[in-house]
Amino acid sequence: MFVFDSEDFDGHEQVVFASDPDTGLKAIIAIHDTSNGPALGGCRMWNYATESEALRDVLRLSRGMTYKAAISRLPLGGGKSVIIGDARSQKTPELMRAMGRAVERLRGRYIVAEDVGTSVEDMAAICTETAHVVGRPADRGGSGDPSPFTAYGCLVGIRAALDHLGRADGLRGARVAIQGLGHVGWHLAGLLAEAGARLIVSDIRPEIVERAVRTFGAEAIAVDEIHTADVDVFAPCALGAVINDRTIPALKARIVAGSANNQLAEGRHGAVLRQRGVLYAPDYVVNAGGLMNVAAELGTYDATAVRRRIEGIYDTLMDIFARADRQGIPTNAAADRIAEERFRRHRRAGKIMAA
Ligand code: NAD
């Protein structure tokens, strides 16, 4: 396994391997960039097949957080952590507390929050060991589950994409295919239904699909067909890498906008979407609502200010779409350039200050 020269490493400031034999903790904490503030990012618990897979995942996710914080104009850097293990059978409060001690040893360079496989309750366990944790429950001074805020950001993002394509009625009557009805997808379905959109949904859990059909009048579609649905918007809210060489030719949607991280299997798929006339709303812009909400816990939490900031996703996307059109580049490249300009400016300023 080579690390420093791998594409995923991308100049990470620090990568920490943390273990606690008593609780079985095996974790990796990756800090990509702290030039604009402490690295904030969720802790994912996943049953990775190999340690290399876990390392690759944490590096990719951590780098993505730097871009997400920069594009969202938050005074934060990018980081992420993973715990290797099955969240259903191996997660215990003791293990999460051991994770809290690992976070504490970084003295605030990394701030942890929930992610796939971890929850608000886990953040409550972590906060017995460290103050560097957000997404805590309300009775621990936190703002709770970030998913409804992420879903609201997705709604704003979908509205921006529809407006950019000149759809006169906006969300009313728009057809949206949601892949994954988990924490974010379910809330998004509710918001879209309320706004008058028509939904097509899929999930590997049939019971949640049935509930969406009953609750929102959604139409169900098979898991392996959701990307082929005849809709205006495809909203990936489950897995990464769903936009790939196999799925792109079958896409009928003119817009891809959803919450899943790393939706493009490879960066070049952004260009393929553009060639096919599909508008891609970059994932880390659309799904930043949860980060904006948990970041607000670091100051005096103000729900109205959080909502206003999330609504700013609309203008951020409009800038990205305009820049992509002006420069003839894919939207993911336009977003990356804007984010890079920002965090590199902070990096340079930091070096000048330190000199
Ligand atoms: P979740 O685990 O609650 O939900 C995922 C859902 O997808 C589950 O219902 C699962 O059954 C379903 N699913 C899994 N494989 C599927 C498949 N092949 N086809 C259809 N459905 C499938 O996760 P979540 O918190 O809702 O997050 C969803 C995505 O958004 C993830 O990629 C996550 O990284 C990203 N994200 C979440 C947040 C947040 O605030 N929760 C913030 C930013 C990004």
Side-chain angles (χ1 to χ4, degrees):
M1 177 177 22
F2 70 104
V3 176
F4 291 106
D5 294 329
S6 73
E7 195 188 329
D8 299 320
F9 189 74
D10 188 50
H12 263 75
E13 283 179 18
Q14 191 176 11
V15 181
V16 174
F17 291 78
S19 80
D20 181 64
D22 290 343
T23 59
L25 177 75
K26 282 189 198 165
I28 312 174
I29 303 174
I31 297 177
H32 179 247
D33 191 287
T34 58
S35 38
N36 195 30
L40 195 159
C43 172
R44 178 167 293 194
M45 183 158 184
W46 193 256
N47 213 356
Y48 295 99
T50 63
E51 288 170 13
S52 315
E53 197 189 298
L55 179 60
R56 180 156 190 264
D57 202 31
V58 76
L59 292 174
R60 287 193 71 187
L61 290 164
S62 149
R63 177 177 183 271
M65 292 307 293
T66 301
Y67 283 75
K68 195 187 297 199
I71 204 91
S72 307
R73 293 186 183 280
L74 290 166
L76 293 168
K80 199 92 179 181
S81 57
V82 295
I83 298 176
I84 301 171
D86 185 327
R88 280 196 202 134
S89 60
Q90 288 169 275
K91 195 168 68 179
T92 59
E94 293 72 30
L95 179 125
M96 294 315 296
R97 289 182 63 161
M99 182 67 191
R101 290 192 290 277
V103 171
E104 176 61 18
R105 287 196 286 273
L106 289 165
R107 296 168 183 269
R109 281 176 49 72
Y110 170 65
I111 301 168
V112 66
E114 51 272 88
D115 195 73
V116 176
T118 60
S119 63
V120 176
E121 291 70 41
D122 298 324
M123 298 310 115
I126 284 181
C127 81
T128 60
E129 304 289 339
T130 182
H132 307 302
V133 49
V134 290
R136 287 165 283 153
D139 61 3
R140 301 289 181 101
S143 59
D145 178 13
S147 307
F149 299 91
T150 304
Y152 184 52
C154 291
L155 183 85
V156 171
I158 291 171
R159 193 184 288 136
L162 289 166
D163 286 355
H164 181 73
L165 292 188
R167 195 179 191 283
D169 293 339
L171 289 164
R172 179 151 299 282
R175 286 166 60 85
V176 184
I178 306 179
Q179 179 183 46
L181 292 166
H183 288 93
V184 181
W186 181 267
H187 284 292
L188 177 62
L191 293 171
L192 284 167
E194 210 178 284
R198 289 153 63 202
L199 305 179
I200 300 190
V201 297
S202 81
D203 197 291
I204 50 173
R205 298 179 294 153
E207 69 285 0
I208 196 95
V209 173
E210 280 159 30
R211 185 146 34 110
V213 170
R214 281 198 311 273
T215 314
F216 308 121
E219 190 184 315
I221 190 168
V223 162
D224 55 358
E225 285 176 17
I226 182 88
H227 64 283
T228 70
D230 191 4
V231 289
D232 301 296
V233 183
F234 174 44
C237 295
L239 316 164
V242 290
I243 304 297
N244 55 46
D245 292 328
R246 186 183 60 81
T247 55
I248 293 175
L251 277 180
K252 295 196 189 78
R254 291 186 63 211
I255 292 167
V256 174
S259 75
N261 281 311
N262 299 327
Q263 287 168 31
L264 304 179
E266 296 170 49
R268 69 178 173 86
H269 289 118
V272 184
L273 287 177
R274 183 178 171 80
Q275 277 154 17
R276 291 182 59 93
V278 179
L279 180 65
Y280 172 58
D283 46 16
Y284 65 80
V285 184
V286 173
N287 71 18
L291 173 66
M292 292 170 179
N293 186 60
V294 293
E297 283 180 32
L298 299 169
T300 309
Y301 185 81
D302 173 350
T304 313
V306 170
R307 206 174 157 85
R308 214 177 307 122
R309 191 182 269 279
I310 295 174
E311 281 158 6
I313 290 175
Y314 185 96
D315 286 343
T316 304
L317 278 174
M318 287 306 199
D319 285 347
I320 291 166
F321 296 153
R323 185 164 174 154
D325 287 345
R326 221 171 33 243
Q327 300 184 351
I329 57 173
T331 51
N332 57 314
D336 284 0
R337 282 185 196 175
I338 297 171
E340 281 161 6
E341 280 162 15
R342 289 194 193 145
F343 69 77
R344 288 195 178 133
R345 199 181 316 133
H346 289 295
R347 232 184 238 172
R348 279 195 301 276
K351 280 187 182 143
I352 292 164
M353 297 277 283

